[in-house]
Amino acid sequence: MNDRKVAVVTGASRGIGRAIAIDLAVAGYDIVGISRTLESTSEKPGLLELKSDIEAKNSVFLPLEYDISDIINREIIVSKVIDEFGRIDLLVNNAGIAPEKRSDILETTPESFDKILAVNLRGTFFLTQSVSKNMLENINLIEGYHPKIIFITSISADVSSTSRTEYCISKSGLSMAAKVFADRLAESGINAYEIRPGLIETDMTAPVKKKYDAKIEEGLIPQNRWGQPEDIARVVVSIANGHFDYATGMIFEISGGMNIRQL
Ligand SMILES: NC(=O)c1ccc[n+]([C@@H]2O[C@H](COP(=O)([O-])OP(=O)(O)OC[C@H]3O[C@@H](n4cnc5c(N)ncnc54)[C@H](OP(=O)(O)O)[C@@H]3O)[C@@H](O)[C@H]2O)c1
């Protein structure tokens, strides 16, 4: 049995997940990173690019190349982590996708709807179910074991975007999943939290960067800047460090003040 804590981060190869993985390594976690890409391509970086960054923090890194929407993979993922480390202290459900093409709610296609929900909601839900069962099995077996689960949803869990309906629905559904997991697991000492990022500068938002640059200029975000992946990673580390241990089910909106209603 590994004495060090182990964090599983989905979507760790780039963007928000990558920053979370690195900051958790700094906080003393060994890291399991999941994405569909192991080796970098000309289009996107793979998990192996993260290896040296994690190892530089004196943490062990296990990259797992899996598509979380293929839910048959969930048991394999848990087995591989347990075979390697014997424990999962933190699951960060970060992997997510946006619609390939934005289209009005009246034109949303069944294909795009199914694809987005398969990753953001269904895949994430069933991976969490499998990890939760493993956490429950270990709860009385590992000394000082206080496992946690974090769901990265979005302000879109609550804010309407008529051109990204399927994304909003997926994040709204995931928000409820976070709440129900928090409720179900609380009595066993397993906490669950939701983080809702606002506009974060990553590959996901690159196609709409110019549009939102202009809106930020016009005052869209009270703190007047794009969020960075590290803004989210800092909150994950704070939760992991136990600063919110009496607050299971809590929702953190990290959006530079977009939560403030203005008159
Ligand atoms: N950026 C924002 O403004 C923003 C705002 C609110 C919420 N969020 C949420 O934050 C999370 C991270 O977003 P991001 O901006 O960092 O996105 P990103 O830069 O596009 O990165 C997404 C990550 O998820 C992985 N991934 C995607 N589909 C996957 C699948 N089916 N199975 C396994 N891994 C998968 C990607 O790797 P591969 O492509 O190699 O699989 C990549 O590592 C998402 O859930 C997103 O919805 C982002």
Side-chain angles (χ1 to χ4, degrees):
M1 171 72 61
N2 199 4
D3 280 344
R4 285 168 57 86
K5 290 184 177 178
V6 176
V8 176
V9 182
T10 68
S13 59
R14 52 204 167 92
I16 295 171
R18 180 183 169 85
I20 290 171
I22 291 171
D23 279 12
L24 284 171
V26 173
Y29 282 75
D30 287 337
I31 304 295
V32 180
I34 299 173
S35 101
R36 295 165 299 179
T37 315
L38 191 63
E39 308 260 4
S40 299
T41 66
S42 54
E43 279 166 23
K44 56 183 175 181
L47 287 166
L48 290 180
E49 274 197 29
L50 188 55
K51 192 173 160 57
S52 55
D53 287 317
I54 299 290
E55 290 177 352
K57 315 295 180 201
N58 297 318
S59 291
V60 177
F61 181 55
L62 175 66
L64 295 179
E65 185 183 22
Y66 287 106
D67 183 336
I68 60 158
S69 70
D70 198 353
I71 64 169
I72 198 149
N73 291 336
R74 64 197 179 129
E75 299 299 350
I76 306 171
I77 291 169
V78 173
S79 303
K80 290 208 168 182
V81 181
I82 295 306
D83 286 353
E84 180 80 15
F85 300 105
R87 60 195 288 169
I88 301 173
D89 295 84
L90 177 64
L91 170 64
V92 185
N93 285 311
N94 164 78
I97 53 172
E100 266 166 42
K101 185 169 159 272
R102 291 186 171 206
S103 55
D104 183 80
I105 184 170
L106 301 180
E107 306 300 334
T108 304
T109 63
E111 292 74 24
S112 181
F113 188 97
D114 289 349
K115 187 176 173 186
I116 298 297
L117 268 79
V119 178
N120 295 4
L121 184 54
R122 186 173 186 267
T124 301
F125 175 84
F126 284 105
L127 177 62
T128 306
Q129 189 188 62
S130 294
V131 170
S132 299
K133 287 182 186 174
N134 181 268
M135 287 172 166
L136 285 167
E137 279 169 23
N138 275 340
I139 202 82
N140 292 320
L141 301 180
I142 303 173
E143 211 184 310
Y145 185 58
H146 299 293
K148 299 173 175 58
I149 301 169
I150 298 173
F151 294 80
I152 308 294
T153 65
S154 170
I155 53 169
S156 298
D158 185 48
V159 176
S160 163
S161 295
T162 55
S163 63
R164 295 185 303 143
T165 312
E166 62 275 55
Y167 182 80
C168 296
I169 291 172
S170 72
K171 293 299 187 178
S172 182
L174 192 61
S175 172
M176 179 51 81
K179 185 183 289 192
V180 182
F181 274 113
D183 185 12
R184 172 62 180 82
L185 299 173
E187 64 179 14
S188 305
I190 302 171
N191 285 6
Y193 306 87
E194 176 185 353
I195 298 177
R196 293 183 176 175
L199 286 173
I200 312 297
E201 205 171 350
T202 66
D203 291 349
M204 182 178 276
T205 47
V208 288
K209 172 113 176 31
K210 275 195 179 144
K211 172 183 166 180
Y212 288 116
D213 277 348
K215 285 183 179 266
I216 291 169
E217 189 88 357
E218 288 163 14
L220 176 70
I221 301 176
Q223 284 186 252
N224 208 26
R225 68 165 172 88
W226 280 85
Q228 296 302 318
E230 293 71 23
D231 290 314
I232 307 303
R234 273 192 289 275
V235 180
V236 169
V237 170
S238 194
I239 293 170
N241 281 339
H243 296 161
F244 299 94
D245 274 1
Y246 192 56
T248 195
M250 188 162 165
I251 299 171
F252 298 79
E253 180 170 325
I254 311 299
S255 65
M258 289 177 82
N259 48 304
I260 301 166
R261 295 177 78 192
Q262 295 159 327
L263 189 62

